[in-house]
Amino acid sequence: MGAMPSVPRRAAGRPPRISRTEIIDTARRIVDEEGVERLTMRRLAGEIGSTPMALYHHVRDKDELLLLLLDDYAARMMRKPGLPAEPRERVVVVAAAIRAVLAPCPWIAEVLTADDLMSESALWFVEQILDGLAECGLSPERAVHGYRAIWYYTAGEIIVRAAAARRRAGDDRPTYRDRVFAGLDGTELPRLAEVAPQWAPLTAQDTYLDGLRALVDGLTR
Amino acid sequence: MGAMPSVPRRAAGRPPRISRTEIIDTARRIVDEEGVERLTMRRLAGEIGSTPMALYHHVRDKDELLLLLLDDYAARMMRKPGLPAEPRERVVVVAAAIRAVLAPCPWIAEVLTADDLMSESALWFVEQILDGLAECGLSPERAVHGYRAIWYYTAGEIIVRAAAARRRAGDDRPTYRDRVFAGLDGTELPRLAEVAPQWAPLTAQDTYLDGLRALVDGLTR
DNA sequence: ACCTGAACACCGTTCAAGT
DNA sequence: ACCTGAACACCGTTCAAGT
């Protein structure tokens, strides 16, 4: 999606040999093929046929590179959903759209910890959430806090589920949680004992929308 | 919290100069004082007055060390709060207690995103949340989903805020977000443009409890 | 059994210099 | 303005040897 806010200024001097676009495209390929942990500045520079330090002329540091990568991913994946007239439902639909784009991208968890999803392509989504909350009568300040609560919930859901999936992959040994549940004291912890056998299937269910609706209802009451 | 599965066997040979206890105590001090990213095997060994490789005689690798640290931390920090009679308020108080323990120690949240239950010491807290939700009329299944929603929100809040704090520390250069905000189109994104100047202070405010109350209200309506 | 020193194969980033 | 090479200050872990 759109150009970066600060478009590199063409001015006198040596013409650039590598571009931010080339950097991001190559980084994306490495991440897609081998995972985010294999993306290093040195490896990336080598792949481009340049030196690590040339990269620092186009991105501030590795964190910014990861942010740009997330932005790039979001820009090519984000599709604006149709907006319901009812403002609360609009908030739900837009938050769910953000989550739908980010959830299947496994390396994202590490970048998501950036303190907001504040890339260019996400702005429209944030705007819709703020607008929906405002139309429900929230002040601008409370709308921002409401958006943040929704973002916490969404980021948490994505990160926790991604970590669970990562851990589940290729490992049949009983987890630490299995062992804890096995030794559960049903008289001291009756609610847990009651649901313990169902815990795995229950927590595997996708209930993001239910929780999101509860949160939005609570925020706009 | 229980003994480790493999207790070091006392046998013939050279007497140990360092112990697993000393390793964990020192590691905890480093993490408490300077953050988990400063905990390295080399640094830890230096602090103990030994060598990196001596550590590998007492822990399998750095991952195991972090797991041991998590166990240790959970066991000594969790204090049961007083429980209000009103079930919704009970849920709020218990969730806030979990968050209060984990927030100053964000590295733990990143480790424990793998499972939603980190250890035996957390079970009592989960039980109270399930019980509060059940008393509000939720079925056992819906109570588990409600607990998960609260956990997503809590884990997300801790992780996002921790990342923001990390990013903020000692860096005055404008962030990526600053640049995105600077180029904001106020006619297309009026709500965002309105709050943009206030974004940093607004998102720095601690509104965990507000969001939590909204979520719990929404879950128990 | 426990510990050491050296080495391997890496990191991200700064700095000064080149074109 | 853009790029390079060398260097800085680190990593986790393996290996072979010492006590």
Side-chain angles (χ1 to χ4, degrees), chain B residues 14 40-42 53 56 62:
Chain B
R14 188 168 170 169
T40 70
M41 299 302 267
R42 289 158 191 269
M53 282 321 297
Y56 286 85
K62 197 183 176 182

Side-chain angles (χ1 to χ4, degrees), chain B residues 10 14-15 22 27 29 35-36 45 47 91 100-101 203 209 212 219:
Chain B
R10 285 283 351 99
R14 188 168 170 169
E22 187 183 5
R29 187 170 52 67
V36 72
E47 211 93 339
V91 172
V101 168
T203 57
L209 267 181
L212 175 62
L219 289 169

Side-chain angles (χ1 to χ4, degrees), chain B residues 28-47:
Chain B
R28 187 180 62 244
R29 187 170 52 67
I30 294 173
V31 167
D32 284 347
E33 287 173 5
E34 306 184 40
V36 72
E37 70 281 353
R38 300 292 285 273
L39 178 68
T40 70
M41 299 302 267
R42 289 158 191 269
R43 165 78 189 277
L44 178 55
E47 211 93 339

Side-chain angles (χ1 to χ4, degrees), chain A residues 158-173:
Chain A
I158 293 169
I159 292 172
V160 169
R161 294 195 88 88
R166 199 166 52 227
R167 197 148 287 229
R168 217 179 299 118
D171 196 341
D172 286 336
R173 297 172 300 176

Side-chain angles (χ1 to χ4, degrees), chain A residues 160 167 175-177, chain B residues 111-118 148 151:
Chain A
V160 169
R167 197 148 287 229
T175 64
Y176 185 63
R177 195 190 61 209
Chain B
V111 178
L112 97 146
T113 49
D115 282 322
D116 44 355
L117 292 179
M118 59 178 166
R148 291 281 284 188
W151 175 238

Side-chain angles (χ1 to χ4, degrees), chain B residues 62-130:
Chain B
K62 197 183 176 182
D63 275 348
E64 185 180 288
L65 175 62
L66 287 172
L67 232 52
L68 290 168
L69 217 47
L70 170 66
D71 240 23
D72 174 72
Y73 182 84
R76 69 177 66 225
M77 290 306 288
M78 289 290 197
R79 294 284 173 275
K80 301 177 181 178
L83 295 180
E86 209 280 300
R88 276 189 313 186
E89 192 56 22
R90 200 152 79 231
V91 172
V92 168
V93 162
V94 170
I98 295 176
R99 184 253 192 176
V101 168
L102 297 184
C105 200
W107 61 273
I108 273 180
E110 286 177 65
V111 178
L112 97 146
T113 49
D115 282 322
D116 44 355
L117 292 179
M118 59 178 166
S119 68
E120 274 184 66
S121 9
L123 289 183
W124 182 86
F125 292 78
V126 180
E127 174 75 13
Q128 300 315 316
I129 291 176
L130 292 178

